Structure formats: structure tokens, C-alpha cells
Amino acid sequence: MLALLSKAKHPVVDWDALSRRILDQSAQGCWVLDGELITVAVNPALCALLGYRAGELVGTHLLAYVAEESRGVLERQAAIRDLTPHRSYDVTLTRSDGTPLRVIFNDSRLDGEDGGTAPGFCIFVTDITRRFEEEAQRALRVDQLADAVARMNRFLGQICQELKDPLSAILGATQMISSDVALPDPAGGSPTPGTAHLGAYAALCSDAGRQMMRTIENLSLWSRLQLNQVPLELRVYELGGLLQDVLEDLEPRARARDILIVNRIVATPVLGDLSALNTVLKHLIENAVRFSPSGSMVMLSSTLADGRVTVRVQDNGLGIPEELQPHLFRIDPHHTAPGADGEVGSGLGLLICKALIERMGGGIRVFSKPGGGTAVTVTLTPGGNAGL
């Protein structure tokens, strides 16, 4: 029984030889240095990384293989070796053929047997050259893409400007035709059928031209927003006063379609940019009118809660199909729908609103149900004591 309980005898292990064999067979480079950073030993993996034989490396200084831009890193790490026994940092080495080698140094201090002064250091070397090159290529592609997008937006802005001038002339001409047709005949005769038709054609051209001009202006503004060329000056403005000017512009169209705009926003000071606030309010109310059936109502209201002003534009229009709602604030899918009178927008209005509102520190959300109307809410920073 005692014989069974006795410990089995194990052969004596030569730990130094075993450690050396493990390092020689390791796929990771290993660099052993003395306290002066002179190479004491290397393994075959490190020799393969650097392109030198072991005999060429032993006895040489570590800095002989460190690229100029990484010597400062190595000197800083050497200064704190006595404070931190284990460190990890990026270094650029130079291979025997002169090509750079991006590596991570996992640097460990080798303490003396008595715990005194460290006799040297052991550095495990991990090659990250491929990863570094891939990241550099990825960063280059990102820069190239950003440059291409910027050039496209600049080109788009130039095209928009070139289109606006002749279109303005066309709109002016159609307005003059409409005005001439509306004038009474000096001879006292009644208008001819041709003259009446001419007036109707001029009105159609004028409506189409205004729609095209609105699209061009939206494209121009969108391109400038992408290039960060729309400076904003945040000040306190009273929404009720801003809305009066916006509603004066939109009232004729709403009246022509028998749509009542009810404004319940009065003394509502907010922090924002004057031009951006006007653009956002006009886009949202114009959209509500466009998608509302004749004889309906558009409601404007605001609330103050949790330190934010929420402006709400509610219509009783067609609503937005559920499958389109996730894409409202994306430019890539084409998701525009015709308005109540068949007019089709570019879909840029909400994108422009979102960009401007976010730059003013706010947010925008859309709530809609097919056949049940749409509500758009905009949150803004209150300007002082807001009385709603």
C-alpha cells in the first residue's frame, strides 16, 4: 500500500534547454538584450523577420535596426523600464534590404536572481506590417472618396447656379405673358380663345418653373451643407414672428387649395440661425400643405418640456407608407411620393431640415400613418424664458 501511495519519479528537466527550444521553435520573433540594449540572443523567427543571420545580430545595438522616426519612442520606453516591467508599443524597424517593418514590441524586464538590477530585457516582436499597410490603404481610400464627394458637391453647386439664371428669365417671361393676357383689350373686345389658352399655358409653365427652381435651390443648399459652407450664427429668435413671414409666403398656395393653416405658436423664443429656422419652417409647412387634401387643415403648435422646445407641424393628408418611413432621412433610396395635387418633390426637403436642425443642436422626428396624416416634430433649444 505504501508503495502505491509513493510519488512517481519524474525525470529532471533542463529548464534552460527547454526554454531555448521553445524560443527556437516559436513563430514569434524574440530579441534578448542586455542593460545597454546590446543583442545577447535572437531566435530564428526574428532572423527571418529582419533578414539577418543570428551571428550578424548578436553583439549589435538594438538602435541599429530601429527606423529614425521610432528612436524617440524607444528612448522614452527605455527611460521607464525600471518603473514598469512590462510594456507594449509600436516600433518601425528596418530590414536588411532597407524596407520598413512595422512591429509591436512586447517588452519585459529580466530581473536578476537576487531581485536586484535587471540584467537585460526580452522583447517579443509581432509583425503588423500587413495590417498597417491595409489600414493606410483604407485611410487613403476614405480620403479619396471624401475628395470625390467634395468635388461632386462643388460641381453640383456650380450646375445649380448655372441653371438658376436662365430659369429665372423663363419665369419672368411667363409672368409677363400672364400679366399681358390679363390686361383688358383697349378696343373693348372680349378675349379670344387663343388668348385664354395662352394664359393657361403660361400659368402651367410658371408652376413647373417654380417647382424646378425649388428643386435647384434645394440641390444647391444640400451641396453647400455637405461641404460645410453654410455658416450658422446662433441667436435667440421668436418663432411666432418668424412664422408670420413664412405664412405670408405660403398663404396664397394654401388658400388656392382651400387649406386652412392654424398657427398656435405665439411667444416662443428659441436658439437658432435666422436663415436656417426660416428654411426649416418653410419646408415643413410647405410639405404639409402639399400632401393635404383640399378643405383640410394644417396645425402648428409648440410645447416646452424637459428644457426643450418642441415644434409640431400636423396635417391630415395622405400619410407616409410604412415601408418608406425608415428611408425618409436617407438620400440613397428614391422614396418620394406625389402630393395631393400630383406634384412630386425631390425628397431633399427633409434631409435639408435634418441637417440644419442638427447643426442648431436640435432633432427632428416624423410620425405618420397611411391615410391618417403626418406629424413632424422639431426639438430646439429654448431661448431664455419661453412662454408657450
Side-chain angles (χ1 to χ4, degrees):
M1 179 65 70
L2 292 176
L4 293 174
L5 295 176
S6 62
K7 294 182 179 180
K9 293 182 178 180
H10 296 282
V12 178
V13 177
D14 185 346
W15 292 106
D16 290 339
L18 179 60
S19 299
R20 183 67 191 182
R21 189 161 65 250
I22 291 174
L23 289 178
D24 286 345
Q25 295 176 2
S26 173
Q28 190 173 25
C30 180
W31 210 327
V32 181
L33 308 161
D34 65 12
E36 301 299 324
L37 301 183
I38 302 299
T39 304
V40 175
V42 293
N43 70 343
L46 182 66
C47 294
L49 278 178
L50 293 175
Y52 291 99
R53 295 190 297 271
E56 296 175 309
L57 293 171
V58 173
T60 59
H61 200 283
L62 172 64
L63 287 178
Y65 310 98
V66 177
E68 186 67 30
E69 65 267 23
S70 291
R71 294 195 174 190
V73 175
L74 203 65
E75 291 169 355
R76 288 192 296 272
Q77 292 296 327
I80 62 172
R81 277 196 172 97
D82 293 336
L83 301 176
T84 54
H86 305 290
R87 293 155 307 280
S88 181
Y89 48 95
D90 292 359
V91 173
T92 301
L93 302 177
T94 303
R95 292 189 176 98
S96 61
D97 59 2
T99 58
L101 177 68
R102 309 280 182 173
V103 299
I104 296 177
F105 270 11
N106 294 293
D107 187 345
S108 297
R109 187 178 67 201
L110 300 175
D111 294 326
E113 294 182 0
D114 57 356
T117 304
F121 311 93
C122 178
I123 300 177
F124 285 94
V125 183
T126 303
D127 183 8
I128 60 169
T129 303
R130 178 176 295 179
R131 187 182 76 187
F132 183 87
E133 291 174 349
E134 290 175 350
E135 290 176 352
Q137 288 294 324
R138 189 179 301 112
L140 178 61
R141 288 194 295 270
V142 170
D143 290 341
Q144 291 173 340
L145 179 61
D147 181 64
V149 171
R151 284 188 283 109
M152 180 191 69
N153 282 314
R154 284 194 294 269
F155 176 73
L156 182 60
Q158 294 170 357
I159 292 296
C160 289
Q161 187 58 45
E162 292 179 5
L163 288 173
K164 286 174 69 175
D165 294 339
L167 184 57
S168 296
I170 294 173
L171 286 174
T174 56
Q175 185 174 1
M176 292 176 63
I177 294 172
S178 298
S179 299
D180 289 345
V181 170
L183 291 175
D185 188 351
S190 60
T192 64
T195 303
H197 290 161
L198 182 61
Y201 296 152
L204 287 174
C205 290
S206 181
D207 290 342
R210 281 195 296 269
Q211 182 179 347
M212 185 180 297
M213 179 65 80
R214 183 167 56 248
T215 300
I216 291 173
E217 290 175 346
N218 285 343
L219 282 172
S220 178
L221 178 55
W222 172 252
S223 68
R224 289 186 289 116
L225 282 169
Q226 303 315 297
L227 294 170
N228 200 24
Q229 293 180 350
V230 181
L232 299 185
E233 185 177 357
L234 300 184
R235 293 184 178 181
V236 176
Y237 294 97
E238 206 279 297
L239 276 185
L242 295 181
L243 274 170
Q244 293 304 317
D245 296 334
V246 173
L247 293 178
E248 283 182 11
D249 291 338
L250 297 179
E251 188 64 30
R253 180 173 183 180
R255 187 168 54 251
R257 300 190 60 247
D258 192 24
I259 294 174
L260 177 64
I261 301 177
V262 179
N263 178 23
R264 293 183 175 176
I265 301 175
V266 284
T268 309
V270 296
L271 184 67
D273 176 81
L274 178 60
S275 177
L277 288 171
N278 275 320
T279 299
V280 169
L281 292 172
K282 184 175 180 180
H283 272 301
L284 296 183
I285 300 172
E286 192 173 39
N287 270 354
V289 171
R290 180 190 306 167
F291 289 97
S292 295
S294 297
S296 63
M297 181 173 60
V298 173
M299 180 73 69
L300 312 180
S301 61
S302 64
T303 57
L304 174 63
D306 300 325
R308 306 289 285 176
V309 171
T310 299
V311 179
R312 184 182 180 93
V313 179
Q314 171 77 55
D315 65 53
N316 298 311
L318 306 174
I320 303 171
E322 294 182 0
E323 65 273 13
L324 297 183
Q325 293 182 25
H327 307 294
L328 290 177
F329 296 107
R330 293 180 55 185
I331 196 171
D332 46 333
H334 186 74
H335 54 75
T336 58
D341 56 359
E343 179 183 348
V344 179
S346 65
L348 284 175
L350 281 178
L351 294 175
I352 291 172
C353 289
K354 183 175 186 293
L356 291 174
I357 291 167
E358 289 180 349
R359 293 191 183 194
M360 291 187 290
I364 182 171
R365 297 183 66 185
V366 176
F367 305 89
S368 186
K369 182 178 180 181
T374 299
V376 180
T377 62
V378 173
T379 58
L380 296 169
T381 303
N385 297 321
L388 303 178

